[in-house]
Amino acid sequence: MEVNEQIAIDHGLKKEEFTKICDLLKRTPNLTELGIFSAMWNEHCSYKSSRLHLKKLNTKGKKVIQGPGENAGVIDIEDDDAIVFKIESHNHPSFIEPYQGAATGVGGIMRDVFTMGARPIANLNSIHFGSPQNPKTKNLLRGVVKGIGGYGNCMGIPTVGGQTSFDESYNGNILVNAMTLGLVNKNKIFYSKAAGINKPVIYVGSRTGRDGIHGASMASAIFDDKIEEKKPTVQVGDPFTEKLLLEACLELMAGKSIISIQDMGAAGLTSSSIEMASKGNLGIELNLNKVPCREEKMTPYEIMLSESQERMLIVLENGKEAEAKKIFDKWNLDFAVIGKTTDSKKIELFFDNNKVAEIPINILAENAPVYDRKWKKTKLPQKIKFNKDDFKKLKITEVLKKILSLPNISSKEWIWQQYDHTIMGDTIQKPGSDSGVIRVHGTNKAVATSVDSSAVYCYAHPLTGGKQVVCESWRNLISCGSSPIAITNCLNFGNPEKEKNMGEFVECVEGINEASKFLDYPVVSGNVSFYNETKDKGIKPTPTIGGVGLIKDYKKMITMDLKKQNNLIIAVGKTEGHLDQSIFATNILNEKKGPPPEVNLFNEKNNGETILKLMKEGLINSTHDVSLGGIITALSKMAIKGKKGFKLNKLKVLINKFDYYFGEDQGRYIIEIEPKNLPKVQKILKDNSVHYDEIGIVTEKDIIVDKEPIIHIDDLIKSNKNWLLEYMDK
């Protein structure tokens, strides 16, 4: 087939990009070469619309071993231990084929982690679906959850945390973000940078098929009515093979034969070979006849662009081929020497004794397009002047029961019960808490981790929303007694060619960076997902933050469940009563305008560090950060977890009780303490200039608010748990 401009456009390239390719090559590319360019120059691989802004992110820190630019980020957790972690999207595939899309998303992120020599120890996910009333939502939710559980459970890796939300902006584009943590000796980390000339290039894992071709290019595509035609671009996963691949790779890594290793993820053999060569400033030569294929008569184009799963590319030391083959034969995996490194600084492909492609590496990598797209700043909305007379007919307890039963607040136990969260025996805080916590096997240390996003806040004001989601991650880690170390991000946005969407991205990144710097909470890895848009309707901006923190002694871990009758309940942090964009405003008052709550980074840091001081002194029995739904919602979740009640004191504040209980001011925590410890707690809070309110006590079973009817804890549990169960049973 003779390549022309239209064929290039059909491959997802712009007219001007095709012209640039021809100019750089000084000729027209053949079809295989065009396919390689389309893969390497798409958004997923080149970050052409985001690279300028991502460079601004804070990526340095005392505990950062490896920041962005590798398969995953790496942080030091002391005693020669390190955590490798990353989050990535699999949005488009999961919308087209929810089970395989979600499953291969989990498989792909795990490979990113064990490629670096780490054994995966925990999975998390952030999944977002359209309105519950949308006819597709239920089936998409069921398929995605089964896919996540099916792959992770088979791999024997616990899923310890996650986040699920519903919003009509995801009706045409659901989001599936998968995160994995792995444990590695910090002196035995493996990287993707190739080195040396005439070193053997090894293919290992599953055979190559025709599934997933153009999967990476789909990341730059907008959906339309022909979505069903894209099903062949979705990869098919096999977790049992991936388990074998994990064990075989780790066994080979125990020796000294690997120079570099790279997962064949997006764009398959194309991206893995080119990225390894580019990082090492080398060339690479591949004989495609030697690539193990499971289908007959595969062309060079298909072999290079296939995204078949469970595959790795390795550069070995000379003379180590037989040793490596023995290991992969033992694990019943394909092994083939398919090429070598060269000094040509080109990728050269051979098939049937003919050279079928020859492209300078720098054209594919360094010369990939970088766009400084136009963007529009979002104005901070004016605050809403609520009519407080509307509050008079409301009862706090009735409002509370309604809020606890909302789709985005209700218990997600139906989801996480389908994930194995206890396998490996080191999960010490399971899903449904502020953070998942995993003990570092054989030590007293534990790692805390969480995923967070806030599309509502980011849509209202991206700069503030970007800051907020980092702070939310920070608070969730602190709430379980861990010291936050670093974050990974998955930045989900609409079409970047639209100024509004691009502005949302730029300002969210600015907000993330500002909070990351102030909190000393660096970004060490991540992913950008653009073009989450169907029929000109895009998603709300949804940056997802995955955080990791360290608990030096897991016995000092804190949980959120209320512990003991007559213990005191204290709200830490100043409550101003911000209702704009709150769950209360949007769902009770039907008011969806206004700004998100302001983020005071000094207070966030000071309040969080003071909470850790209280924990260090053993003064906190339980804690939970205050987020969606405000103080009373946070406290109710603590009550539900502990199957206890609470009695709230008469407020000694100047603001309306609805403002106080349902306001979503940031930087706040609810803590439970023993009465005898109150003087010590008060002193530490005052010494650190932290505002606090003594708001009530723990009761045996009853929820008592002012003079309103008493609610039994069982009624609160029922309100919180039933929505999702009933929704999925209908």
Side-chain angles (χ1 to χ4, degrees), residues 40 260 268 311 317 391 548 716:
M40 295 304 298
S260 65
R311 302 179 299 160
E317 293 285 2
F391 295 4
V548 178
L716 219 57

PDB file of all heavy atoms in Angstrom, residues 40 260 268 311 317 391 548 716:
ATOM      1  N   MET A  40       4.151   6.254  18.056  1.00  0.00           N
ATOM      2  CA  MET A  40       5.076   7.033  18.877  1.00  0.00           C
ATOM      3  C   MET A  40       4.702   8.502  18.995  1.00  0.00           C
ATOM      4  O   MET A  40       5.121   9.178  19.932  1.00  0.00           O
ATOM      5  CB  MET A  40       6.502   6.909  18.316  1.00  0.00           C
ATOM      6  CG  MET A  40       7.082   5.505  18.401  1.00  0.00           C
ATOM      7  SD  MET A  40       7.094   4.827  20.079  1.00  0.00           S
ATOM      8  CE  MET A  40       8.167   5.979  20.938  1.00  0.00           C
ATOM      9  N   SER A 260      18.939  -4.049  30.471  1.00  0.00           N
ATOM     10  CA  SER A 260      17.737  -3.220  30.551  1.00  0.00           C
ATOM     11  C   SER A 260      16.525  -4.084  30.248  1.00  0.00           C
ATOM     12  O   SER A 260      16.635  -5.131  29.589  1.00  0.00           O
ATOM     13  CB  SER A 260      17.809  -2.038  29.584  1.00  0.00           C
ATOM     14  OG  SER A 260      17.831  -2.460  28.244  1.00  0.00           O
ATOM     15  N   GLY A 268       3.192  -1.664  22.050  1.00  0.00           N
ATOM     16  CA  GLY A 268       3.861  -2.942  21.997  1.00  0.00           C
ATOM     17  C   GLY A 268       5.354  -2.915  21.732  1.00  0.00           C
ATOM     18  O   GLY A 268       6.119  -2.205  22.377  1.00  0.00           O
ATOM     19  N   ARG A 311       4.032  -9.498  27.760  1.00  0.00           N
ATOM     20  CA  ARG A 311       5.277  -9.592  27.000  1.00  0.00           C
ATOM     21  C   ARG A 311       6.310  -8.598  27.546  1.00  0.00           C
ATOM     22  O   ARG A 311       5.958  -7.527  28.031  1.00  0.00           O
ATOM     23  CB  ARG A 311       5.035  -9.294  25.518  1.00  0.00           C
ATOM     24  CG  ARG A 311       4.011 -10.193  24.843  1.00  0.00           C
ATOM     25  CD  ARG A 311       3.820  -9.817  23.376  1.00  0.00           C
ATOM     26  NE  ARG A 311       3.349  -8.462  23.217  1.00  0.00           N
ATOM     27  CZ  ARG A 311       3.453  -7.734  22.099  1.00  0.00           C
ATOM     28  NH1 ARG A 311       4.054  -8.250  21.033  1.00  0.00           N
ATOM     29  NH2 ARG A 311       2.978  -6.496  22.053  1.00  0.00           N
ATOM     30  N   GLU A 317      23.264  -9.212  28.695  1.00  0.00           N
ATOM     31  CA  GLU A 317      24.713  -9.288  28.509  1.00  0.00           C
ATOM     32  C   GLU A 317      25.030 -10.424  27.539  1.00  0.00           C
ATOM     33  O   GLU A 317      24.311 -11.427  27.495  1.00  0.00           O
ATOM     34  CB  GLU A 317      25.417  -9.549  29.856  1.00  0.00           C
ATOM     35  CG  GLU A 317      25.321  -8.421  30.859  1.00  0.00           C
ATOM     36  CD  GLU A 317      26.231  -7.249  30.521  1.00  0.00           C
ATOM     37  OE1 GLU A 317      26.922  -7.301  29.469  1.00  0.00           O
ATOM     38  OE2 GLU A 317      26.264  -6.277  31.304  1.00  0.00           O
ATOM     39  N   PHE A 391     -33.381  26.502  55.119  1.00  0.00           N
ATOM     40  CA  PHE A 391     -32.839  25.497  56.034  1.00  0.00           C
ATOM     41  C   PHE A 391     -33.810  25.150  57.158  1.00  0.00           C
ATOM     42  O   PHE A 391     -33.715  24.069  57.751  1.00  0.00           O
ATOM     43  CB  PHE A 391     -31.525  25.982  56.661  1.00  0.00           C
ATOM     44  CG  PHE A 391     -30.391  26.161  55.675  1.00  0.00           C
ATOM     45  CD1 PHE A 391     -30.575  25.971  54.322  1.00  0.00           C
ATOM     46  CD2 PHE A 391     -29.125  26.526  56.111  1.00  0.00           C
ATOM     47  CE1 PHE A 391     -29.526  26.140  53.422  1.00  0.00           C
ATOM     48  CE2 PHE A 391     -28.078  26.707  55.223  1.00  0.00           C
ATOM     49  CZ  PHE A 391     -28.294  26.510  53.872  1.00  0.00           C
ATOM     50  N   VAL A 548       1.439   7.637  48.609  1.00  0.00           N
ATOM     51  CA  VAL A 548       2.105   6.578  49.372  1.00  0.00           C
ATOM     52  C   VAL A 548       2.788   7.204  50.589  1.00  0.00           C
ATOM     53  O   VAL A 548       3.467   8.224  50.476  1.00  0.00           O
ATOM     54  CB  VAL A 548       3.141   5.819  48.517  1.00  0.00           C
ATOM     55  CG1 VAL A 548       3.858   4.756  49.357  1.00  0.00           C
ATOM     56  CG2 VAL A 548       2.476   5.162  47.306  1.00  0.00           C
ATOM     57  N   LEU A 716     -28.507   4.111  60.323  1.00  0.00           N
ATOM     58  CA  LEU A 716     -27.474   4.823  59.582  1.00  0.00           C
ATOM     59  C   LEU A 716     -26.711   3.867  58.662  1.00  0.00           C
ATOM     60  O   LEU A 716     -26.421   4.197  57.509  1.00  0.00           O
ATOM     61  CB  LEU A 716     -26.501   5.502  60.559  1.00  0.00           C
ATOM     62  CG  LEU A 716     -25.990   6.902  60.184  1.00  0.00           C
ATOM     63  CD1 LEU A 716     -27.129   7.864  59.973  1.00  0.00           C
ATOM     64  CD2 LEU A 716     -25.051   7.428  61.260  1.00  0.00           C
TER      65      LEU A 716
END
